[in-house]
Amino acid sequence: MSVRRDPHGIPHVRAATLLDLAFEQGRVTAHDRAWQLTVERLRGEGRVGALGGSAAWDAFAADLDLADTAQRGLSALDAESQAFFAAYADGVRAGFAEGATSPELASVDAPGEWQPWSSLAVFLVQHVLFAGFPTTLWAASVEPGLDPRLASLLGVEPPHGSNAFAVGPSRTRSGAPLIGADPHRVFESPGIYQQVGLACDELDVVGLAFPGVPGVQHFGHTGHVAWAVTNAMADYQDVSVVGGRLVVRTPTSELGDVGLGAILPLLRARTVADVDAALEHWVEPVNNVLVADTTGRVLHRVAGRVPVRAGDAWTGWVDLPRTEVGHDEVAVTANDRTDDRWDALAGRFAPPWRRDRIASLLASGPVDGDLVDVGRAASVLTDHHDPSGGHLLDLLIGLDDLPEPSAALVERLREWDGSMAAGSVVAGAYAAVRDAVVAAIVADPLLAPARAAAPPIHAEVLAPWWHLPSRIARVLPDLVRDPPTGLDLDQMARSALAQVAALPDQTWGDRHRLTPIHAHADLRLDVAPYLPSVAGSPLDGDLECVAATAWIPGTDMSVSGPIARLVWDLSPPPGGRARSRWAVPLGASGIPGDPHHDDQLTAWKDGTLLPVTPLPATSPTFALRAVSPATDAPLLHGWFTEPRAAFWGMGARTLEEVGEIYGWIAEQPHLTARLALLDDHPVGLVQTYDPFVDEIGEHYDRRPGDLGVHLFLADDAARAGHTAELTAYLVAQVFADPAVHRVVLEPDVDNTRSLALLLRLGAELGPVTEVPAPMPDLPAKRAQFAFLPRPA
């Protein structure tokens, strides 16, 4: 196993086996995110109060039964996935045993340790507040006093959402699909997405992982297929307060399935069809998923479970929409209602501003040669034009008889281009006026019932959903466009202009600063020693910009927005993924003071982003050389006498016999034996035979141009994570002979990993047969014939 880090400390983990890979991912995550793993584990167990401070979350977690749900979810997984999670847990524990820690843990005695189900609990913690039940409780708390139209308008769930787009191959400069995406969540320190590369003999993927959850989940690129998600805004939770206890019914609680059986199929995916099939395991959160592969296919589908309701009963699951995206089309999802089919998911979606803006930015196509490439896609993600302020600007510009300072301010706003750039003074003035209008609406008597409302339970956890200024801000364009009776917006606007006109100029960045949230804030402990150095940085963007850095009225804090930006290029390997880029607002390390704690802000802010595979200089080199019987016999004898080499059939041979056998092979004109070298180090053996001479050829329908191949891969650490590359190299070497039209292999019929590898290379399986060994006196064996045709 090995962990290599790129210049920004992003870990790229390699291992020979899937379980070794999970172990090493867990171990490296413990070292990078010790505090975060501890906090999230204890949240999942409902005892985070043991770290000191508030225990409000623990009562909430107990009501939702998070720990038991996670344990049931682990039991529901298939055996291989359970082993995968167990290996990750072993790795996390190993990391802590090695001394993984963080300054926040210096004086803390955190109870317990990581368990296999802890990963599922962490996943639940990250999503339990994701689907709108707090807004359902909010709506109940303001009724019946609040005007029904206001209650309906304000009762929209904050868009925990994101942007994602997929560009068909006919519209890209590379001729292959592109995916761009940026998940919007709370800016947390450390960030809740961990960039990671994972490679072993059967998979090779880069993506974003929730620290504490093995593999990658919402965003991944395997070199052949990539995917990205946005929140589908689906209504899939029922909530009530019964006997002083919060009761939330979810698909996960209903099915006893967290849905993480999708992870291994996702990691192994090579086509859109593979990802599509993997997502059949997905339960929640319900996501829009954009998927594209190197063949040019692009799919937009919704993944998860949404109940069919009959009164209070759930009677089944909604058939979720899916759309094949044409080669000359662009698909955009931004938490919006894509079309009528999305009505089966919910009654409210995010306004279409972000979706329409992205579509317009990508609209130019091959007609004028303005094709999309990685750089252009990244620039779309940082676009900070605000398309939502038109109604407020119209209101301000339409006011007459204004005092001179207010009129001068309106003239400046009239010329404004809508850019929410951090350095814009006019954007700062617009935001100040908007802030004052929001404050006036909040204070209006019509909103008195909403001001007086409070969470019916778990007030400390649910309080953000009752922050009335934020609800007003989200729907301000609709309120201004069609104000409810009794809301005197003209007067509010006049007053707001007068207030702002009397103030000194401020840029938007003066009023809009990156404010990462540390878990100590939730625990009501001191956060100051642990905040990143970039906290307080001015930010471009705004709530309804593509760069959706949300504002909190009355403050200069931006606590949520794009917590990662990425562009996946689907050009065929090796070029596409190497051109893909990503960045997060902070950094790879969760340790305050570490050089990589917050070193990605600039790349994230300006959209330059970072390459996802920045390690080409150390990529391995492969070669073949003929076996030297005398020199190589000890090496081969060592390989063949390992238990794993039983199928090779030479485990009982002495060192001298091995030398004699390979001396005999060297004399046969229809046989070859060569060592496979990785950086000049032997890692395998390749033998070929002429099936028209060798007896084995009698066991299948041999054809002119067939070449038989026996392949032995050594259990050598140097090969860890390079098997796919090595095998591809060997296949290419065999087909370098133009006389070879088809390669015939016969691996052990029970060696599922070898068979899976051959299938990924494009092999077709033939008969299962008792075949003779390559040497006359070796035992026969039961093999699975596999035929690999010459690549087109």
Side-chain angles (χ1 to χ4, degrees):
M1 293 182 285
S2 68
V3 178
R4 298 169 58 203
R5 295 184 184 272
D6 75 2
H8 287 80
I10 297 168
H12 291 255
V13 183
R14 284 189 179 275
T17 70
L18 184 69
L19 297 186
D20 286 347
L21 184 68
F23 177 92
E24 194 66 5
Q25 186 186 5
R27 193 178 75 84
V28 75
T29 304
H31 281 282
D32 285 357
R33 304 293 182 100
W35 160 252
Q36 191 176 26
L37 290 190
T38 301
V39 167
E40 300 304 335
R41 174 176 63 79
L42 292 174
R43 280 175 170 160
E45 295 171 359
R47 50 177 179 165
V48 72
L51 297 175
S54 172
W57 174 272
D58 296 340
F60 174 77
D63 271 7
L64 270 65
D65 209 11
L66 294 182
D68 182 65
T69 302
Q71 292 175 62
R72 288 195 297 132
L74 180 69
S75 299
L77 289 173
D78 59 275
E80 185 185 31
S81 294
Q82 289 185 19
F84 184 63
F85 280 79
Y88 183 88
D90 289 342
V92 171
R93 289 196 294 266
F96 278 103
E98 293 166 354
T101 189
S102 184
E104 295 96 328
L105 296 172
S107 58
V108 171
D109 184 16
E113 64 178 359
W114 201 269
Q115 302 297 324
W117 58 269
S118 299
S119 295
L120 288 82
V122 168
F123 192 79
L124 291 172
V125 167
Q126 296 292 0
H127 296 102
V128 69
L129 289 166
F130 216 65
F133 80 78
T135 288
T136 303
L137 292 174
W138 175 87
S141 75
V142 300
E143 295 174 348
L146 189 62
D147 174 87
R149 179 168 175 269
L150 273 174
S152 174
L153 193 61
L154 295 172
V156 61
E157 178 64 8
H160 310 283
S162 322
N163 307 306
F165 56 84
V167 185
S170 297
R171 302 182 69 91
T172 67
R173 193 168 300 283
S174 67
L178 279 175
I179 290 177
D182 58 355
H184 305 167
R185 289 176 176 244
V186 172
F187 292 125
E188 293 189 32
S189 178
I192 64 170
Y193 276 128
Q194 175 193 32
Q195 299 147 295
V196 66
L198 302 170
C200 67
D201 287 353
E202 57 183 299
L203 58 89
D204 184 353
V205 61
V206 298
L208 305 180
F210 291 101
V213 184
V216 300
Q217 299 85 43
H218 285 158
F219 303 88
H221 192 325
T222 72
H224 302 267
V225 63
W227 64 94
V229 310
T230 67
N231 187 340
M233 305 296 286
D235 176 13
Y236 56 86
Q237 294 177 335
D238 288 350
V239 62
S240 58
V241 178
V242 180
R245 179 173 178 265
L246 178 67
V247 178
V248 180
R249 186 184 190 187
T250 71
T252 291
S253 63
E254 191 78 0
L255 296 169
D257 182 359
V258 182
L260 297 186
I263 289 182
L264 288 181
L266 282 173
L267 300 182
R268 290 170 168 146
R270 292 175 67 84
T271 66
V272 168
D274 292 341
V275 173
D276 194 23
L279 292 175
E280 291 303 304
H281 298 279
W282 199 259
V283 176
E284 59 176 298
V286 178
N287 292 325
N288 287 291
V289 190
L290 294 178
V291 196
D293 65 23
T294 53
T295 71
R297 185 184 174 193
V298 179
L299 174 69
H300 175 191
R301 64 160 290 176
V302 177
R305 297 285 185 271
V306 178
V308 175
R309 293 179 169 92
D312 293 334
W314 290 10
T315 60
W317 304 107
V318 171
D319 290 331
L320 299 175
R322 56 191 300 116
T323 302
E324 293 286 343
V325 180
H327 281 206
D328 60 347
E329 294 181 318
V330 173
V332 183
T333 171
N335 322 118
D336 56 290
R337 175 182 176 273
T338 301
D339 60 37
D340 293 351
R341 294 171 297 162
W342 267 251
D343 291 341
L345 306 182
R348 296 286 294 271
F349 296 87
W353 288 306
R354 284 181 285 124
R355 178 199 65 191
D356 293 347
R357 177 66 177 172
I358 292 170
S360 70
L361 292 170
L362 295 169
S364 300
V367 172
D368 62 4
D370 193 10
L371 300 172
V372 180
D373 58 15
V374 171
R376 183 175 166 199
S379 71
V380 169
L381 296 174
T382 60
D383 179 74
H384 45 71
H385 175 80
D386 182 2
S388 70
H391 296 303
L392 179 57
L393 287 172
D394 288 345
L395 170 65
L396 299 172
I397 292 170
L399 297 173
D400 55 16
D401 297 327
L402 290 171
E404 191 281 333
S406 294
L409 176 55
V410 168
E411 286 307 305
R412 293 168 65 195
L413 294 175
R414 190 194 300 274
E415 301 301 321
W416 180 44
D417 62 2
S419 166
M420 297 301 286
S424 171
V425 173
V426 184
Y430 163 76
V433 172
R434 182 181 61 177
D435 213 49
V437 170
V438 168
I441 295 174
V442 170
D444 192 273
L446 279 178
L447 275 297
R451 290 198 301 273
I457 194 169
H458 301 305
E460 189 173 318
V461 174
L462 299 177
W465 280 262
W466 271 257
H467 188 247
L468 186 56
S470 292
R471 286 195 176 274
I472 297 291
R474 282 197 292 275
V475 300
L476 183 63
D478 291 326
L479 278 171
V480 173
R481 177 180 56 82
D482 185 16
T485 301
L487 198 64
D488 190 350
L489 278 172
D490 277 16
Q491 184 54 44
M492 292 177 182
R494 290 176 185 277
S495 176
L497 286 169
Q499 291 176 44
V500 176
L503 297 173
D505 282 345
Q506 282 188 303
T507 67
W508 172 227
D510 292 333
R511 310 176 57 85
H512 191 61
R513 298 179 179 277
L514 176 66
T515 309
I517 304 300
H518 189 280
H520 267 199
D522 294 336
L523 295 170
R524 301 187 181 277
L525 300 173
D526 183 16
V527 302
Y530 311 115
L531 290 178
S533 63
V534 298
S537 297
L539 293 178
D540 295 334
D542 197 9
L543 182 65
E544 297 296 350
C545 297
V546 177
T549 52
W551 59 295
I552 297 181
T555 78
D556 65 356
M557 299 190 301
S558 180
V559 302
S560 66
I563 59 168
R565 287 174 172 145
L566 59 88
V567 179
W568 297 144
D569 186 317
L570 273 302
S571 299
R577 197 167 66 180
R579 286 197 288 271
S580 298
R581 304 184 77 84
W582 58 6
V584 295
L586 299 181
S589 172
I591 302 174
D594 185 280
H596 302 303
H597 187 228
D598 54 12
D599 60 343
Q600 296 188 39
L601 180 69
T602 299
W604 173 83
K605 282 182 68 174
D606 65 16
T608 53
L609 309 183
L610 309 173
V612 302
T613 53
L615 308 171
T618 55
S619 294
T621 58
F622 302 109
L624 288 169
R625 73 163 172 81
V627 169
S628 170
T631 304
D632 296 327
L635 172 71
L636 298 176
H637 181 261
W639 287 351
F640 298 158
T641 52
E642 294 177 357
R644 63 184 292 276
F647 187 73
W648 200 254
M650 293 178 64
R653 299 291 183 176
T654 66
L655 174 62
E656 291 72 22
E657 288 173 324
V658 170
E660 292 169 3
I661 289 170
Y662 280 87
W664 178 84
I665 289 176
E667 296 172 352
Q668 309 307 308
H670 72 290
L671 301 177
T672 69
R674 292 181 289 178
L675 289 176
L677 308 177
L678 190 158
D679 293 336
D680 296 326
H681 178 76
V683 294
L685 173 65
V686 183
Q687 295 180 204
T688 66
Y689 63 90
D690 182 348
F692 285 91
V693 177
D694 197 289
E695 181 185 352
I696 197 171
E698 299 174 3
H699 293 265
Y700 67 94
D701 180 22
R702 56 192 170 192
R703 304 172 185 173
D706 278 356
L707 181 70
V709 173
H710 302 300
L711 177 61
F712 181 93
L713 296 179
D715 185 17
D716 192 300
R719 185 171 60 83
H722 296 300
T723 300
E725 298 168 85
L726 172 62
T727 309
Y729 166 79
L730 297 176
V731 169
Q733 291 301 300
V734 171
F735 282 118
D737 180 351
V740 178
H741 297 294
R742 191 173 69 158
V743 170
V744 183
L745 303 105
E746 67 279 4
D748 184 353
V749 68
D750 295 321
N751 191 337
T752 56
R753 289 171 54 195
S754 291
L755 293 174
L757 177 59
L758 293 176
L759 289 173
R760 290 201 296 273
L761 289 170
E764 299 175 357
L765 299 184
V768 175
T769 311
E770 291 283 339
V771 299
M775 291 297 297
D777 63 338
L778 295 180
K781 46 196 175 184
R782 190 163 178 264
Q784 168 68 69
F785 274 106
F787 305 104
L788 188 62
R790 171 178 283 278

PDB file of all heavy atoms in Angstrom, residues 432-444 447 451 468-469 472-473 476 492 496 499 551 553-554:
ATOM      1  N   ALA A 432     -26.661  46.696   0.140  1.00  0.00           N
ATOM      2  CA  ALA A 432     -27.038  47.431   1.349  1.00  0.00           C
ATOM      3  C   ALA A 432     -28.507  47.835   1.296  1.00  0.00           C
ATOM      4  O   ALA A 432     -29.230  47.746   2.302  1.00  0.00           O
ATOM      5  CB  ALA A 432     -26.143  48.662   1.492  1.00  0.00           C
ATOM      6  N   VAL A 433     -28.940  48.294   0.117  1.00  0.00           N
ATOM      7  CA  VAL A 433     -30.356  48.632  -0.024  1.00  0.00           C
ATOM      8  C   VAL A 433     -31.220  47.394   0.183  1.00  0.00           C
ATOM      9  O   VAL A 433     -32.231  47.424   0.899  1.00  0.00           O
ATOM     10  CB  VAL A 433     -30.604  49.257  -1.416  1.00  0.00           C
ATOM     11  CG1 VAL A 433     -32.105  49.435  -1.658  1.00  0.00           C
ATOM     12  CG2 VAL A 433     -29.877  50.588  -1.549  1.00  0.00           C
ATOM     13  N   ARG A 434     -30.821  46.313  -0.439  1.00  0.00           N
ATOM     14  CA  ARG A 434     -31.571  45.056  -0.306  1.00  0.00           C
ATOM     15  C   ARG A 434     -31.639  44.625   1.154  1.00  0.00           C
ATOM     16  O   ARG A 434     -32.693  44.199   1.649  1.00  0.00           O
ATOM     17  CB  ARG A 434     -30.902  43.985  -1.153  1.00  0.00           C
ATOM     18  CG  ARG A 434     -31.579  42.650  -1.159  1.00  0.00           C
ATOM     19  CD  ARG A 434     -30.821  41.653  -2.010  1.00  0.00           C
ATOM     20  NE  ARG A 434     -29.456  41.421  -1.513  1.00  0.00           N
ATOM     21  CZ  ARG A 434     -28.609  40.548  -2.048  1.00  0.00           C
ATOM     22  NH1 ARG A 434     -28.963  39.841  -3.110  1.00  0.00           N
ATOM     23  NH2 ARG A 434     -27.404  40.398  -1.544  1.00  0.00           N
ATOM     24  N   ASP A 435     -30.547  44.763   1.851  1.00  0.00           N
ATOM     25  CA  ASP A 435     -30.504  44.386   3.263  1.00  0.00           C
ATOM     26  C   ASP A 435     -31.497  45.214   4.075  1.00  0.00           C
ATOM     27  O   ASP A 435     -32.215  44.689   4.949  1.00  0.00           O
ATOM     28  CB  ASP A 435     -29.084  44.602   3.778  1.00  0.00           C
ATOM     29  CG  ASP A 435     -28.683  43.606   4.842  1.00  0.00           C
ATOM     30  OD1 ASP A 435     -28.878  42.397   4.638  1.00  0.00           O
ATOM     31  OD2 ASP A 435     -28.184  44.059   5.901  1.00  0.00           O
ATOM     32  N   ALA A 436     -31.532  46.498   3.767  1.00  0.00           N
ATOM     33  CA  ALA A 436     -32.449  47.375   4.506  1.00  0.00           C
ATOM     34  C   ALA A 436     -33.898  47.035   4.193  1.00  0.00           C
ATOM     35  O   ALA A 436     -34.766  47.094   5.081  1.00  0.00           O
ATOM     36  CB  ALA A 436     -32.142  48.832   4.159  1.00  0.00           C
ATOM     37  N   VAL A 437     -34.193  46.686   2.951  1.00  0.00           N
ATOM     38  CA  VAL A 437     -35.559  46.300   2.586  1.00  0.00           C
ATOM     39  C   VAL A 437     -35.962  45.019   3.324  1.00  0.00           C
ATOM     40  O   VAL A 437     -37.069  44.908   3.850  1.00  0.00           O
ATOM     41  CB  VAL A 437     -35.676  46.126   1.057  1.00  0.00           C
ATOM     42  CG1 VAL A 437     -37.019  45.491   0.695  1.00  0.00           C
ATOM     43  CG2 VAL A 437     -35.513  47.468   0.354  1.00  0.00           C
ATOM     44  N   VAL A 438     -35.055  44.054   3.364  1.00  0.00           N
ATOM     45  CA  VAL A 438     -35.351  42.810   4.076  1.00  0.00           C
ATOM     46  C   VAL A 438     -35.641  43.098   5.550  1.00  0.00           C
ATOM     47  O   VAL A 438     -36.608  42.575   6.132  1.00  0.00           O
ATOM     48  CB  VAL A 438     -34.179  41.815   3.930  1.00  0.00           C
ATOM     49  CG1 VAL A 438     -34.350  40.639   4.903  1.00  0.00           C
ATOM     50  CG2 VAL A 438     -34.084  41.304   2.507  1.00  0.00           C
ATOM     51  N   ALA A 439     -34.824  43.959   6.161  1.00  0.00           N
ATOM     52  CA  ALA A 439     -35.028  44.277   7.574  1.00  0.00           C
ATOM     53  C   ALA A 439     -36.389  44.931   7.788  1.00  0.00           C
ATOM     54  O   ALA A 439     -37.082  44.652   8.781  1.00  0.00           O
ATOM     55  CB  ALA A 439     -33.905  45.196   8.061  1.00  0.00           C
ATOM     56  N   ALA A 440     -36.790  45.787   6.840  1.00  0.00           N
ATOM     57  CA  ALA A 440     -38.082  46.456   6.979  1.00  0.00           C
ATOM     58  C   ALA A 440     -39.226  45.457   6.849  1.00  0.00           C
ATOM     59  O   ALA A 440     -40.225  45.533   7.576  1.00  0.00           O
ATOM     60  CB  ALA A 440     -38.208  47.547   5.914  1.00  0.00           C
ATOM     61  N   ILE A 441     -39.100  44.520   5.945  1.00  0.00           N
ATOM     62  CA  ILE A 441     -40.163  43.504   5.788  1.00  0.00           C
ATOM     63  C   ILE A 441     -40.252  42.647   7.050  1.00  0.00           C
ATOM     64  O   ILE A 441     -41.344  42.351   7.549  1.00  0.00           O
ATOM     65  CB  ILE A 441     -39.881  42.632   4.551  1.00  0.00           C
ATOM     66  CG1 ILE A 441     -39.965  43.471   3.280  1.00  0.00           C
ATOM     67  CG2 ILE A 441     -40.853  41.460   4.484  1.00  0.00           C
ATOM     68  CD1 ILE A 441     -39.564  42.724   2.007  1.00  0.00           C
ATOM     69  N   VAL A 442     -39.102  42.245   7.568  1.00  0.00           N
ATOM     70  CA  VAL A 442     -39.105  41.420   8.779  1.00  0.00           C
ATOM     71  C   VAL A 442     -39.832  42.153   9.908  1.00  0.00           C
ATOM     72  O   VAL A 442     -40.569  41.540  10.699  1.00  0.00           O
ATOM     73  CB  VAL A 442     -37.659  41.082   9.195  1.00  0.00           C
ATOM     74  CG1 VAL A 442     -37.626  40.441  10.591  1.00  0.00           C
ATOM     75  CG2 VAL A 442     -37.017  40.149   8.171  1.00  0.00           C
ATOM     76  N   ALA A 443     -39.636  43.470   9.979  1.00  0.00           N
ATOM     77  CA  ALA A 443     -40.220  44.244  11.083  1.00  0.00           C
ATOM     78  C   ALA A 443     -41.680  44.586  10.866  1.00  0.00           C
ATOM     79  O   ALA A 443     -42.345  45.106  11.781  1.00  0.00           O
ATOM     80  CB  ALA A 443     -39.408  45.537  11.271  1.00  0.00           C
ATOM     81  N   ASP A 444     -42.201  44.336   9.674  1.00  0.00           N
ATOM     82  CA  ASP A 444     -43.580  44.727   9.371  1.00  0.00           C
ATOM     83  C   ASP A 444     -44.566  43.922  10.221  1.00  0.00           C
ATOM     84  O   ASP A 444     -44.340  42.722  10.470  1.00  0.00           O
ATOM     85  CB  ASP A 444     -43.865  44.476   7.888  1.00  0.00           C
ATOM     86  CG  ASP A 444     -45.155  45.124   7.443  1.00  0.00           C
ATOM     87  OD1 ASP A 444     -46.221  44.467   7.592  1.00  0.00           O
ATOM     88  OD2 ASP A 444     -45.096  46.281   6.968  1.00  0.00           O
ATOM     89  N   LEU A 447     -45.625  40.323   9.450  1.00  0.00           N
ATOM     90  CA  LEU A 447     -44.740  39.197   9.721  1.00  0.00           C
ATOM     91  C   LEU A 447     -44.671  38.847  11.212  1.00  0.00           C
ATOM     92  O   LEU A 447     -43.872  37.974  11.608  1.00  0.00           O
ATOM     93  CB  LEU A 447     -43.331  39.512   9.214  1.00  0.00           C
ATOM     94  CG  LEU A 447     -43.035  39.221   7.724  1.00  0.00           C
ATOM     95  CD1 LEU A 447     -43.174  37.725   7.441  1.00  0.00           C
ATOM     96  CD2 LEU A 447     -43.916  40.044   6.799  1.00  0.00           C
ATOM     97  N   ARG A 451     -42.269  36.165  13.202  1.00  0.00           N
ATOM     98  CA  ARG A 451     -41.240  36.591  14.164  1.00  0.00           C
ATOM     99  C   ARG A 451     -41.405  35.874  15.492  1.00  0.00           C
ATOM    100  O   ARG A 451     -40.428  35.576  16.183  1.00  0.00           O
ATOM    101  CB  ARG A 451     -41.314  38.113  14.380  1.00  0.00           C
ATOM    102  CG  ARG A 451     -40.874  38.951  13.205  1.00  0.00           C
ATOM    103  CD  ARG A 451     -40.570  40.387  13.648  1.00  0.00           C
ATOM    104  NE  ARG A 451     -41.715  41.030  14.264  1.00  0.00           N
ATOM    105  CZ  ARG A 451     -42.668  41.689  13.599  1.00  0.00           C
ATOM    106  NH1 ARG A 451     -42.586  41.794  12.274  1.00  0.00           N
ATOM    107  NH2 ARG A 451     -43.682  42.257  14.233  1.00  0.00           N
ATOM    108  N   LEU A 468     -35.866  34.349  10.271  1.00  0.00           N
ATOM    109  CA  LEU A 468     -36.809  34.973   9.342  1.00  0.00           C
ATOM    110  C   LEU A 468     -36.117  35.825   8.281  1.00  0.00           C
ATOM    111  O   LEU A 468     -36.515  35.780   7.101  1.00  0.00           O
ATOM    112  CB  LEU A 468     -37.841  35.789  10.129  1.00  0.00           C
ATOM    113  CG  LEU A 468     -38.972  36.393   9.301  1.00  0.00           C
ATOM    114  CD1 LEU A 468     -39.725  35.330   8.517  1.00  0.00           C
ATOM    115  CD2 LEU A 468     -39.925  37.178  10.221  1.00  0.00           C
ATOM    116  N   PRO A 469     -35.103  36.640   8.619  1.00  0.00           N
ATOM    117  CA  PRO A 469     -34.450  37.422   7.547  1.00  0.00           C
ATOM    118  C   PRO A 469     -33.945  36.550   6.400  1.00  0.00           C
ATOM    119  O   PRO A 469     -34.037  36.947   5.236  1.00  0.00           O
ATOM    120  CB  PRO A 469     -33.297  38.113   8.292  1.00  0.00           C
ATOM    121  CG  PRO A 469     -33.775  38.233   9.702  1.00  0.00           C
ATOM    122  CD  PRO A 469     -34.549  36.974   9.953  1.00  0.00           C
ATOM    123  N   ILE A 472     -36.913  35.620   4.262  1.00  0.00           N
ATOM    124  CA  ILE A 472     -37.341  36.776   3.456  1.00  0.00           C
ATOM    125  C   ILE A 472     -36.371  36.980   2.283  1.00  0.00           C
ATOM    126  O   ILE A 472     -36.780  37.228   1.140  1.00  0.00           O
ATOM    127  CB  ILE A 472     -37.378  38.045   4.333  1.00  0.00           C
ATOM    128  CG1 ILE A 472     -38.420  37.904   5.453  1.00  0.00           C
ATOM    129  CG2 ILE A 472     -37.656  39.278   3.472  1.00  0.00           C
ATOM    130  CD1 ILE A 472     -39.840  37.912   4.994  1.00  0.00           C
ATOM    131  N   ALA A 473     -35.080  36.877   2.573  1.00  0.00           N
ATOM    132  CA  ALA A 473     -34.080  37.115   1.522  1.00  0.00           C
ATOM    133  C   ALA A 473     -34.256  36.148   0.363  1.00  0.00           C
ATOM    134  O   ALA A 473     -34.102  36.526  -0.807  1.00  0.00           O
ATOM    135  CB  ALA A 473     -32.683  36.989   2.124  1.00  0.00           C
ATOM    136  N   LEU A 476     -37.293  37.314  -1.715  1.00  0.00           N
ATOM    137  CA  LEU A 476     -37.469  38.746  -1.920  1.00  0.00           C
ATOM    138  C   LEU A 476     -37.903  39.088  -3.349  1.00  0.00           C
ATOM    139  O   LEU A 476     -38.796  39.935  -3.530  1.00  0.00           O
ATOM    140  CB  LEU A 476     -36.177  39.488  -1.553  1.00  0.00           C
ATOM    141  CG  LEU A 476     -36.250  41.007  -1.653  1.00  0.00           C
ATOM    142  CD1 LEU A 476     -37.288  41.552  -0.664  1.00  0.00           C
ATOM    143  CD2 LEU A 476     -34.878  41.633  -1.394  1.00  0.00           C
ATOM    144  N   MET A 492     -40.834  51.244   2.061  1.00  0.00           N
ATOM    145  CA  MET A 492     -39.644  50.527   2.536  1.00  0.00           C
ATOM    146  C   MET A 492     -38.441  50.819   1.642  1.00  0.00           C
ATOM    147  O   MET A 492     -37.318  51.013   2.122  1.00  0.00           O
ATOM    148  CB  MET A 492     -39.911  49.012   2.551  1.00  0.00           C
ATOM    149  CG  MET A 492     -40.928  48.574   3.590  1.00  0.00           C
ATOM    150  SD  MET A 492     -41.260  46.801   3.476  1.00  0.00           S
ATOM    151  CE  MET A 492     -42.501  46.606   4.751  1.00  0.00           C
ATOM    152  N   ALA A 496     -34.974  52.619   2.652  1.00  0.00           N
ATOM    153  CA  ALA A 496     -33.707  51.902   2.453  1.00  0.00           C
ATOM    154  C   ALA A 496     -32.723  52.743   1.659  1.00  0.00           C
ATOM    155  O   ALA A 496     -31.526  52.810   1.983  1.00  0.00           O
ATOM    156  CB  ALA A 496     -33.968  50.575   1.735  1.00  0.00           C
ATOM    157  N   GLN A 499     -31.267  55.428   3.883  1.00  0.00           N
ATOM    158  CA  GLN A 499     -30.273  54.886   4.827  1.00  0.00           C
ATOM    159  C   GLN A 499     -28.934  54.659   4.135  1.00  0.00           C
ATOM    160  O   GLN A 499     -27.877  55.062   4.639  1.00  0.00           O
ATOM    161  CB  GLN A 499     -30.762  53.552   5.390  1.00  0.00           C
ATOM    162  CG  GLN A 499     -31.951  53.620   6.320  1.00  0.00           C
ATOM    163  CD  GLN A 499     -32.384  52.215   6.732  1.00  0.00           C
ATOM    164  OE1 GLN A 499     -31.567  51.363   7.059  1.00  0.00           O
ATOM    165  NE2 GLN A 499     -33.688  51.988   6.699  1.00  0.00           N
ATOM    166  N   TRP A 551     -25.795  34.949   1.320  1.00  0.00           N
ATOM    167  CA  TRP A 551     -25.635  36.021   2.295  1.00  0.00           C
ATOM    168  C   TRP A 551     -26.632  35.830   3.424  1.00  0.00           C
ATOM    169  O   TRP A 551     -27.709  35.256   3.252  1.00  0.00           O
ATOM    170  CB  TRP A 551     -25.828  37.396   1.650  1.00  0.00           C
ATOM    171  CG  TRP A 551     -27.174  37.609   1.006  1.00  0.00           C
ATOM    172  CD1 TRP A 551     -27.675  36.946  -0.069  1.00  0.00           C
ATOM    173  CD2 TRP A 551     -28.181  38.538   1.424  1.00  0.00           C
ATOM    174  NE1 TRP A 551     -28.920  37.411  -0.381  1.00  0.00           N
ATOM    175  CE2 TRP A 551     -29.264  38.401   0.516  1.00  0.00           C
ATOM    176  CE3 TRP A 551     -28.275  39.478   2.434  1.00  0.00           C
ATOM    177  CZ2 TRP A 551     -30.426  39.161   0.620  1.00  0.00           C
ATOM    178  CZ3 TRP A 551     -29.428  40.247   2.533  1.00  0.00           C
ATOM    179  CH2 TRP A 551     -30.487  40.083   1.639  1.00  0.00           C
ATOM    180  N   PRO A 553     -28.764  38.173   5.825  1.00  0.00           N
ATOM    181  CA  PRO A 553     -29.138  39.580   5.991  1.00  0.00           C
ATOM    182  C   PRO A 553     -28.691  40.132   7.342  1.00  0.00           C
ATOM    183  O   PRO A 553     -28.771  39.457   8.374  1.00  0.00           O
ATOM    184  CB  PRO A 553     -30.665  39.547   5.886  1.00  0.00           C
ATOM    185  CG  PRO A 553     -30.954  38.337   5.061  1.00  0.00           C
ATOM    186  CD  PRO A 553     -29.914  37.329   5.443  1.00  0.00           C
ATOM    187  N   GLY A 554     -28.184  41.344   7.305  1.00  0.00           N
ATOM    188  CA  GLY A 554     -27.779  42.006   8.538  1.00  0.00           C
ATOM    189  C   GLY A 554     -26.388  41.652   9.001  1.00  0.00           C
ATOM    190  O   GLY A 554     -25.955  42.110  10.056  1.00  0.00           O
TER     191      GLY A 554
END
